[in-house]
């Protein structure tokens, strides 16, 4: 197969992401593990207007599930091994623990760039003092250490960046692998501890691959998760360098190695300006029977150029756009029906009123008849998963009236 239509590429990509896997009547830990094996990572984001970002890709593929499954998979307790740990894998993301050794080259890169962390260089003893406290008291949050390591009162200037000294140092120690994230508290604050108290001993004892070996394995995993992709898509999945540079690992070198080994097959994809690469184990299903909503941070759409190339779907998140300039809304989710993105909806969970709000609903060009009814059914399912009692549709968007009528029926 040296040529693919856009629709074939789309179906391959959706199958690789788990949208053709047989549903389990009651999703269990094995369902979650199967799903994460498809997605590779679960991006973490603090926005909670609907549901935290890392929960949504699981819902999109597994259907309504007990979110405690994810907590169990990403914590350590008793004899239960930890399956997932947070690190800067795509961006901040939950990843399988076995990826930790593959991230060591990234940790060393951050360590070599220590001079960029001015707050660290200004007090050479601060890192060790914080690390000693984590060793002695862990697990801890930055807030737990804030007063002890404060260089003075915190200000409200520079919203989002007025971190305490403790937070800055802990973040640096996390990036270089001297501490790990053991979980998050009820306020979604990061809880840090020593890696040996967070990760399985076998993971910590695993040999460290060379930087290029690590990049090649990450590209291999990205190719499995994408099914078919350009080199730029493969680099983006784990945020890798695309082009070779003296002494640096690169995606281009990894792609060449995998093509030579027969794991990647160069293909031309209809409408793509870039060379495509098909993973040798990728499946082309006859159809995709999906009906679900996708988070803005879902791997299917997080690389916006890829989403446009696969689905003809132009998508930008508008959280940071002033309200009066937004085209579609604050937190807008694409609606996947079959193998097409046919609509998008602005959503908000009003937990106090126990209502799923839909301020805006918009059909894509060529959306099939019955889109409103299918979307209404999906919104009811989502509301039930979120423990909300009703769905209320606003007036914005060309699909709003039909969607409201479908929900009324």
């Amino acid at each position: 197969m040296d040529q693919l239509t856009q629709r074939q590429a789309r179906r391959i990509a959706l199958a690789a992401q788990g949208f053709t896997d047989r549903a389990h009547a009651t999703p269990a830990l094995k369902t979650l593990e199967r799903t994460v094996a498809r997605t590779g990572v679960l991006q973490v984001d603090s926005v909670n207007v609907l549901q935290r970002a890392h929960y949504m890709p699981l819902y999109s593929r597994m259907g309504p599930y007990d979110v405690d499954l994810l907590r169990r998979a990403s914590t350590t307790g008793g004899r239960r091994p930890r399956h997932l740990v947070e690190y800067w894998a795509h961006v901040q993301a939950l990843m399988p623990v076995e990826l930790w050794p593959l991230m060591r080259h990234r940790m060393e890169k951050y360590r070599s760039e220590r001079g960029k962390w001015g707050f660290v260089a200004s007090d050479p003893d601060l890192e060790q003092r914080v690390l000693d406290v984590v060793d002695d008291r862990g697990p801890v949050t930055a807030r737990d250490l804030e007063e002890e390591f404060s260089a003075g009162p915190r200000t409200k200037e520079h919203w989002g960046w007025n971190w305490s000294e403790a937070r800055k140092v802990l973040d640096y120690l996390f990036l270089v692998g001297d501490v790990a994230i053991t979980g998050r508290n009820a306020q979604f604050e990061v809880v840090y501890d020593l890696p040996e108290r967070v990760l399985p001993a076998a993971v910590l004892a695993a040999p460290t691959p060379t930087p290029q070996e690590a990049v090649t394995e990450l590209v291999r995993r990205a190719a499995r998760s994408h099914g078919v992709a350009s080199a730029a898509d493969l680099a983006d999945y784990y945020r890798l360098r695309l082009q070779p540079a003296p002494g640096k690992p690169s995606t281009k070198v990894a792609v060449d190695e995998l093509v030579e080994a027969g794991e990647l097959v160069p293909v031309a994809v209809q409408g793509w300006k870039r060379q495509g690469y098909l993973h040798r184990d990728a499946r082309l299903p006859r159809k995709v029977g999906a009906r679900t909503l996708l988070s803005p941070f879902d791997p299917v759409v997080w690389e916006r150029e890829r989403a446009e190339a696969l689905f003809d779907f132009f998508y930008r998140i508008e959280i940071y756009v002033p309200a009066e300039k937004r085209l579609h809304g604050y937190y807008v989710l694409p609606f996947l029906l079959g193998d097409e993105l046919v609509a998008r909806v602005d959503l908000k969970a009003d937990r106090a009123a126990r209502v799923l709000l839909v301020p805006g609903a918009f059909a894509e060009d060529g959306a099939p008849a019955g889109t409103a009814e299918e979307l209404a059914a999906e919104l009811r399912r989502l509301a039930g998963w979120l423990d909300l009692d009703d769905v209320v549709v606003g007036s914005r968007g060309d699909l709003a009236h039909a969607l409201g009528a479908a929900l009324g029926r």
Side-chain angles (χ1 to χ4, degrees):
M1 184 187 300
D2 56 2
Q3 289 190 333
L4 295 171
T5 66
Q6 183 192 47
R7 187 157 215 166
Q8 286 174 325
R10 199 157 63 217
R11 289 176 177 173
I12 289 169
L14 290 170
Q17 280 287 318
F19 288 97
T20 58
D21 289 344
R22 177 176 291 184
H24 293 163
T26 302
L29 194 56
K30 66 180 181 180
T31 322
L32 184 148
E33 291 172 354
R34 180 185 71 179
T35 302
V36 174
R38 297 291 196 188
T39 66
V41 293
L42 300 170
Q43 183 172 335
V44 175
D45 190 84
S46 61
V47 176
N48 195 28
V49 67
L50 180 70
Q51 175 60 290
R52 301 283 188 194
H54 49 295
Y55 292 107
M56 281 300 299
L58 297 172
Y59 166 83
S60 299
R61 292 152 178 79
M62 293 161 45
Y65 71 100
D66 181 357
V67 296
D68 193 56
L69 288 175
L70 186 54
R71 183 196 62 78
R72 287 164 50 198
S74 56
T75 57
T76 304
R79 297 183 178 180
R80 184 181 67 247
R82 176 189 290 267
H83 296 275
L84 304 172
V85 67
E86 275 193 51
Y87 190 66
W88 202 258
H90 171 69
V91 289
Q92 189 83 6
L94 284 163
M95 66 179 192
V97 292
E98 63 265 22
L99 263 63
W100 188 265
L102 299 178
M103 295 297 160
R104 287 179 183 144
H105 76 286
R106 184 164 291 172
M107 296 171 188
E108 289 309 308
K109 175 179 178 290
Y110 289 133
R111 197 182 298 276
S112 71
E113 296 173 347
R114 185 178 183 278
K116 295 182 180 180
W117 302 75
F119 62 87
V120 176
S122 66
D123 184 352
D125 297 326
L126 194 55
E127 293 168 44
Q128 189 59 52
R129 287 166 51 210
V130 171
L131 197 55
D132 289 343
V133 170
V134 176
D135 186 7
D136 182 54
R137 302 182 201 168
V140 298
T141 67
R143 190 180 300 275
D144 294 334
L145 308 185
E146 189 169 291
E147 185 174 343
E148 185 173 349
F149 291 96
S150 175
R154 291 175 64 188
T155 70
K156 297 295 183 181
E157 299 172 3
H158 310 298
W159 177 86
W161 296 99
N162 58 328
W163 289 352
S164 67
E165 293 300 296
R167 168 64 194 272
K168 292 173 184 176
V169 174
L170 283 167
D171 199 54
Y172 171 77
L173 293 173
F174 160 70
L175 287 175
V176 301
D178 289 345
V179 301
I181 293 177
T182 191
R184 289 178 180 260
N185 64 17
Q187 290 73 45
F188 205 60
E189 294 173 309
V190 172
V191 182
Y192 302 91
D193 207 343
L194 298 182
E196 55 264 36
R197 297 199 290 246
V198 173
L199 291 152
V203 169
L204 294 174
T208 300
T210 68
Q212 187 59 57
E213 287 171 344
V215 167
T216 299
E217 177 59 25
L218 291 171
V219 170
R220 178 183 287 115
R221 287 170 177 259
R224 287 184 191 136
S225 291
H226 269 326
V228 62
S230 69
D233 295 335
L234 297 174
D236 175 74
Y237 212 86
Y238 291 100
R239 296 297 168 94
L240 303 169
R241 179 190 293 270
L242 178 58
Q243 294 298 335
K248 303 290 185 182
S250 80
T251 298
K252 178 66 169 61
V253 170
V255 168
D256 290 344
E257 289 179 1
L258 295 172
V259 168
E260 185 176 355
E263 293 186 55
L264 292 182
V265 180
V267 292
V269 181
Q270 177 190 8
W272 286 23
K273 297 178 181 178
R274 297 168 174 167
Q275 174 68 60
Y277 296 94
L278 179 71
H279 191 273
R280 67 182 176 193
D281 297 331
R283 292 190 310 107
L284 172 56
R286 293 181 62 186
K287 72 173 193 174
V288 176
R291 190 200 70 192
T292 195
L293 289 156
L294 303 178
S295 158
F297 308 105
D298 192 289
V300 171
V301 294
W302 69 23
E303 213 296 299
R304 310 308 190 199
E305 287 187 21
R306 176 177 169 84
E308 193 164 1
L310 279 174
F311 297 95
D312 295 323
F313 188 81
F314 182 82
Y315 184 42
R316 297 292 184 272
I317 193 165
E318 299 181 274
I319 289 174
Y320 302 109
V321 176
E324 66 277 8
K325 294 184 178 180
R326 292 178 191 140
L327 295 177
H328 298 105
Y330 179 81
Y331 201 72
V332 175
L333 282 72
F335 178 46
L336 176 65
L337 185 63
D339 63 7
E340 298 182 280
L341 297 176
V342 300
R344 63 187 85 197
V345 281
D346 185 20
L347 297 180
K348 179 179 180 179
D350 186 339
R351 296 174 180 87
R354 298 183 60 81
V355 168
L356 178 60
L357 300 175
V358 190
F362 308 83
E364 294 300 297
D365 290 342
T371 292
E373 287 73 16
E374 295 283 4
L375 179 55
E378 171 56 21
L379 289 169
R380 289 194 191 98
R381 185 176 78 141
L382 177 65
W385 179 59
L386 296 174
D387 195 27
L388 303 174
D389 297 330
D390 202 0
V391 181
V392 176
V393 182
S395 59
R396 293 184 59 247
D398 58 352
L399 193 58
H401 178 75
L403 180 61
L407 285 162
R409 288 193 292 272

